[in-house]
Amino acid sequence: MRGIKAEQPVRPRKAYQMRRRYDISFGSNGAELQLPPIPLVQPSLRWVSALLVAGLVFLLYHVWHAPAYQVGQAAISGLQRLPEREVQSVLNVENRPVFSLDPARLEHDLRLAFPEFLGVSVRVGWPNVIEVLIEEREPVLGWQHAQGLVWISEDGRSFPARGEAPGLPLILADAMNIAPILDEGGQPLVNPYIGRDLLSPKQVAGILEMVKMAPEGAVLIFDPAHGMGWRDPQGWLVYFGLLGEQIPEKLAVYTALADQLKSEGRTPVMISVEHVNAAYYRLER
């Protein structure tokens, strides 16, 4: 456009840092030594950041390998039947830096490896302390089946029979239609009876009540179709059902029926009081 003077772009001048020159005198005769200019070096943020990173890397390496932060064996409390060495092998914390351990992960590993643990608490302390508090399940029943022996706690949970439990009632169980439990890799566990709710708490309470009233020498049994019962020392089988309800009433009906058959001189092969109002028996053929 006419009448308007175009402005020329102004290039920003680069900021040059002055260089200092040094002159060194050799005496009074005027001889001097002139050194080349020395550039002034000012530290930038990049240099500061690089020094900080290098320092942090050195500190991390030192802390990672320092003996003061290496964990020895964990301090475990609460074990009753399980050997401590088995728990230590699952924890696997020896000679590891304390800050590399995750308490939640350690608790998960212990629960997965030991279904008999009712409660697990792991605390990581500074500088190299690992404390583990464990509460074990108390077995109230022994469950003998085709794949081995498991114990059952009061809430009906099954877990491996490890250690000793003297005086524990033993139940001989027939095969049950139990789907296998898969591990984290999708493979079936060796014993599908471990780590699951085989019975309800009400069933466990009913079985324990029935155990107290079983005749001396009776063998406790479980049948998937007829439920709990025992093999009487006189040879017959008696079943009380699956639910573990009305145990006193069922025992009273069974006692009356067994006495009646005995007085009549008849020997049954099986007596069922699965339903208290519909008890029946089978005689030898």
Side-chain angles (χ1 to χ4, degrees), residues 118-131:
L118 180 62
V120 179
S121 176
V122 177
R123 189 186 73 86
V124 178
W126 196 257
N128 57 0
V129 178
I130 299 293
E131 295 180 350

Side-chain angles (χ1 to χ4, degrees), residues 211-235:
V211 168
K212 298 177 183 178
M213 301 181 179
E216 186 178 356
V219 179
L220 299 174
I221 57 176
F222 176 84
D223 183 89
H226 300 285
M228 283 301 306
W230 64 65
R231 181 177 293 278
D232 195 272
Q234 300 182 59

Side-chain angles (χ1 to χ4, degrees), residues 14-208:
K14 296 182 179 179
Y16 292 97
Q17 294 182 352
M18 298 298 295
R19 298 185 177 184
R20 294 183 179 180
R21 190 185 70 182
Y22 294 89
D23 297 332
I24 301 176
S25 175
F26 285 95
S28 59
N29 56 359
E32 294 181 349
L33 175 63
Q34 189 176 20
L35 297 178
I38 301 175
L40 294 178
V41 179
Q42 295 182 356
S44 64
L45 292 178
R46 292 183 178 180
W47 281 98
V48 175
S49 300
L51 290 176
L52 287 176
V53 170
L56 290 175
V57 170
F58 173 77
L59 180 61
L60 180 61
Y61 177 84
H62 171 73
V63 173
W64 190 277
H65 295 279
Y69 305 107
Q70 304 295 316
V71 178
Q73 287 192 339
I76 302 175
S77 59
L79 290 177
Q80 298 182 19
R81 288 170 295 273
L82 197 66
E84 181 176 327
R85 63 179 181 275
E86 296 187 19
V87 182
Q88 294 283 5
S89 64
V90 173
L91 286 171
N92 192 25
V93 298
E94 195 169 358
N95 298 325
R96 293 174 59 184
V98 66
F99 50 81
S100 68
L101 302 176
D102 181 10
R105 181 64 186 180
L106 294 176
E107 292 176 2
H108 173 267
D109 293 342
L110 289 178
R111 293 181 184 275
L112 187 63
F114 304 106
E116 58 264 51
F117 288 171
L118 180 62
V120 179
S121 176
V122 177
R123 189 186 73 86
V124 178
W126 196 257
N128 57 0
V129 178
I130 299 293
E131 295 180 350
V132 182
L133 178 61
I134 294 173
E135 180 183 0
E136 289 190 44
R137 295 180 181 273
E138 289 293 333
V140 295
L141 293 173
W143 195 266
Q144 181 72 51
H145 54 89
Q147 292 181 302
L149 173 66
V150 297
W151 287 343
I152 297 179
S153 58
E154 191 174 7
D155 59 355
R157 192 74 172 177
S158 63
F159 54 95
R162 290 188 269 220
E164 296 182 358
L168 196 68
L170 181 63
I171 298 173
L172 302 181
D174 291 342
M176 300 173 64
N177 187 19
I178 296 181
I181 300 178
L182 305 180
D183 59 15
E184 292 182 337
Q187 299 297 322
L189 296 176
V190 176
N191 193 337
Y193 286 83
I194 291 178
R196 63 194 313 158
D197 296 325
L198 287 183
L199 301 170
S200 68
K202 182 181 293 186
Q203 288 175 322
V204 173
I207 292 172
L208 294 176

